Amino acid sequence: MRVLITGAAGFLGSHLSDRFLAEGHQVVGMDNFITGSPDNIAHLAGQSRFEFIEHNVSRFVDVAGPIDGVLHFASPASPIDYLKFPIQTLKVGSLGTHNLLGVAKAKGARFLLASTSEVYGDPLVHPQPESYWGNVNPVGPRGVYDEAKRFAEAITMAYHRYHGLPTRIVRIFNTYGPRMRAEDGRVVSNFIVQALRGQALTIYGDGGQTRSFCYVTDLIDGIYRLFSSDRSDPTNLGNPNEFTVRQLAELVRTKIPGAGPVVAEPLPVDDPKVRRPDISVARQVLGWEPEVQLDAGLDQTIVHFRRVLGQ
Ligand code: UDP
């Protein structure tokens, strides 16, 4: 196959590109580096089955030659990023998704949308099954991401139903691992980087809010399985082991000697109080189960950030 992966220079897009190349496929990577980095794909420079096109997918997308799959991973995805780039986030989820569905339709390709647990908002059902419609504030600061992804899901299903396009939708829960940016702003990268610098770990609010952290290799395996399956309804992928943010901070502190203390900072607006995927569907339909526990995944991620920080 020859697949187009948007956001290929990002955290997930670059790992996904590696996986498709490892499976023997050809990959056309696309990114405008708004939050991605050339460093994430530098190792693919000499790889003959990898091509790269620098392009903003919110503008018309033109790719020469046959394409068998389109995997849309382009978007700012960290809360600090989509607060910094609200319009671009809305555009890539809406105009970008529309453009890429158009590419898939024109090429006769399978389409996979990277959606998010943010479609559930601050959830009133816990854990979150795919059948839950969510509790999203459309006009809050997170609305630019949440509503863009909800629109992206809606237009993907419309192309599926109206045009018969083969589509897949993955709802990705919190994921971490090598190639996250030091300044990404998310909780795992923040705590590790702060600890390695001997700084205080910033807990927003009382730290009682929960998240469930999936290691990147597990997630990529689930996405590959979903792409290869025939399931068009949205599918949760994530690790169902749930931790409070305070537990995560303490775990990181035990792993990094010299880490500073824990300090409290204000809780961001509309910060979800709990989050944990119900992965019954992925287990049943994809035979998928995350394997890497937080303890081992954090160790790998700490190795990555030590290298990034030159330690
Ligand atoms: N958080 C925190 N300290 C940080 C960064 C994040 O306490 O330095 C909290 C944040 O308020 C949220 C959780 O950690 O409750 C996860 O935040 P993240 O930005 O990683 O992603 P989210 O799950 O909110 O999209």
Side-chain angles (χ1 to χ4, degrees), residues 79 82 118 142 174 185-187 190-191 194 202-204 209 211 245 267-268 271-272 275:
Y82 48 77
E118 281 283 325
R142 301 175 87 103
N174 295 64
R186 274 178 284 198
V187 68
N190 269 11
F191 285 174
Q194 288 164 344
T202 53
I203 288 188
Y204 301 161
Q209 70 270 39
R211 294 294 186 273
V245 163
L267 191 66
D271 197 274
R275 183 182 290 153

Side-chain angles (χ1 to χ4, degrees), residues 34-259:
I34 181 173
T35 55
S37 166
D39 295 345
N40 289 336
I41 48 170
H43 63 290
L44 299 177
Q47 163 68 264
S48 62
R49 284 183 288 109
F50 182 76
E51 299 158 66
F52 183 76
I53 302 171
E54 185 171 344
H55 182 68
N56 176 357
V57 299
S58 298
R59 298 171 192 272
F60 184 79
V61 177
D62 188 23
V63 182
I67 293 287
D68 306 296
V70 175
L71 296 102
H72 182 25
F73 278 72
S75 178
S78 162
I80 60 159
D81 287 337
Y82 48 77
L83 293 182
K84 193 166 154 200
F85 303 112
I87 314 287
Q88 290 95 326
T89 301
L90 281 158
K91 286 172 79 174
V92 74
S94 54
L95 306 179
T97 304
H98 185 214
N99 287 337
L100 293 158
L101 284 161
V103 171
K105 179 167 160 275
K107 303 278 187 184
R110 181 175 296 191
F111 180 84
L112 184 143
L113 172 70
S115 187
T116 169
S117 54
E118 281 283 325
V119 300
Y120 302 121
D122 189 2
L124 305 176
V125 171
H126 191 68
Q128 294 79 54
E130 289 86 349
S131 55
Y132 178 48
W133 293 350
N135 179 38
V136 170
N137 173 6
V139 295
R142 301 175 87 103
V144 298
Y145 184 62
D146 302 9
E147 296 296 1
K149 290 294 189 182
R150 289 171 68 97
F151 174 87
E153 289 197 4
I155 194 171
T156 299
M157 289 309 293
Y159 266 69
H160 176 66
R161 294 197 180 108
Y162 186 76
H163 290 304
L165 191 74
T167 57
R168 314 283 178 263
I169 297 174
V170 52
R171 290 184 177 154
I172 301 170
F173 284 66
N174 295 64
T175 302
Y176 68 100
R179 298 189 194 157
M180 289 187 98
R181 288 172 299 148
E183 71 284 11
D184 179 273
R186 274 178 284 198
V187 68
V188 173
S189 47
N190 269 11
F191 285 174
I192 293 176
V193 170
Q194 288 164 344
L196 289 174
R197 288 177 172 154
Q199 298 168 344
L201 278 63
T202 53
I203 288 188
Y204 301 161
D206 66 6
Q209 70 270 39
T210 68
R211 294 294 186 273
S212 310
F213 302 101
C214 188
Y215 190 62
V216 62
T217 51
D218 280 336
L219 184 86
I220 295 296
D221 187 54
I223 292 169
Y224 194 81
R225 287 176 191 233
L226 178 64
F227 181 78
S228 308
S229 79
D230 60 4
R231 181 178 162 85
S232 53
D233 286 334
T235 306
N236 287 341
L237 291 180
N239 190 314
N241 293 337
E242 185 178 7
F243 297 84
T244 66
V245 163
R246 183 168 293 277
Q247 283 175 321
L248 176 71
E250 292 306 337
L251 184 55
V252 169
R253 289 183 77 250
T254 61
K255 288 179 176 294
I256 301 177

